[in-house]
Amino acid sequence: MIDVTHQINSVSRKVGRRDFKAGEARVITIGQSYGSPVEDVWDACTNPERVPRWFLPVTGELRLGGKYQLQGNAGGTVERCDPPNSFFATWEFGGEVSWIELRLTPEGDGTRFELEHIAHVDDTKWAEFGPGAVGVGWDSILLGLDGNLSGTTPVKPEDAMAWLASEEGRRFVTASSEAWFAANVASGEDESAAREAADRTTAAYTGAGS
């Protein structure tokens, strides 16, 4: 069993914009505090033998200038790397390129994990699903990382899709989508537009209405 409410409430979410490369980009930021030291969190996020235990198998070279590929998901190039504090990489999926930046900072005896996902998204596409389009996915990734770092791993990566289709999984996705709705409104988005986008995101992830 997963304490869905606890996990959702343990994560911070922020939605914003910034000038980046070709123009203004949308930015979502997701963060969580872990009881593990920075070096352990860094290893969990970058060790190709450990990543598959909580996310997906990864191939390539996880180093500066190296290319990586997550099985059945995104790939890209590591553009900046400062072990064990941060890395910046392209996130290439479905013919589109966005960017991710991971930052790890000491927090007492543990670590503050913060990840930014930066993308050039046109207003029409953004209006359809809002930040939850990728935010819900990152929430599920942080759930897996939390399980790995705590040694609980309630959902094995190979069982993730089946779990997401379960009652508990749908409850997690719905709660995540609602949390991204709140972050979207807090960023200044029109509440009714944010509501419609969040409802479409929840339906897309849970299969509601299909």
Side-chain angles (χ1 to χ4, degrees):
M1 290 288 292
I2 295 170
D3 189 336
V4 170
T5 301
H6 175 75
Q7 176 61 24
I8 293 297
N9 291 341
S10 295
V11 173
S12 63
R13 301 165 190 83
K14 184 178 178 181
V15 179
R17 303 171 185 246
R18 64 185 272 194
D19 290 329
F20 183 78
K21 294 186 181 289
E24 187 178 65
R26 302 276 187 172
V27 184
I28 70 160
T29 307
I30 187 167
Q32 186 169 1
S33 296
Y34 298 110
S36 303
V38 167
E39 291 77 10
D40 186 43
V41 181
W42 177 264
D43 185 68
C45 295
T46 61
N47 185 334
E49 294 184 359
R50 190 168 174 185
V51 172
R53 299 175 195 168
W54 59 272
F55 187 21
L56 292 168
V58 60
T59 56
E61 297 179 286
L62 302 181
R63 59 170 180 78
L64 182 62
K67 293 185 179 297
Y68 73 93
Q69 179 62 55
L70 291 159
Q71 183 176 297
N73 204 293
T77 302
V78 180
E79 296 188 344
R80 295 199 304 269
C81 191
D82 178 25
N85 304 304
S86 66
F87 69 73
F88 184 90
T90 61
W91 184 265
E92 303 171 30
F93 183 73
E96 298 183 350
V97 180
S98 54
W99 296 263
I100 58 170
E101 181 171 12
L102 172 67
R103 296 185 295 270
L104 303 177
T105 54
E107 188 177 70
D109 294 329
T111 302
R112 181 65 183 176
F113 170 110
E114 192 170 74
L115 182 137
E116 287 188 346
H117 194 155
I118 307 160
H120 294 108
V121 183
D122 65 61
D123 290 343
T124 299
K125 187 173 181 179
W126 178 264
E128 185 175 6
F129 294 108
V134 295
V136 172
W138 284 114
D139 258 310
S140 65
I141 291 169
L142 262 63
L143 173 64
L145 177 59
D146 180 68
N148 182 263
L149 292 170
S150 65
T152 58
T153 312
V155 181
K156 295 180 181 179
E158 60 268 26
D159 298 329
M161 293 307 295
W163 178 76
L164 286 171
S166 70
E167 181 180 351
E168 184 178 64
R170 290 193 299 271
R171 188 158 56 88
F172 177 84
V173 164
T174 301
S176 169
S177 182
E178 287 300 304
W180 283 109
F181 159 73
N184 201 14
V185 172
S187 76
E189 187 73 47
D190 175 77
E191 186 170 351
S192 61
R195 175 76 273 157
E196 291 175 2
D199 288 346
R200 284 189 287 266
T201 294
T202 301
Y205 273 97
T206 62
S210 62

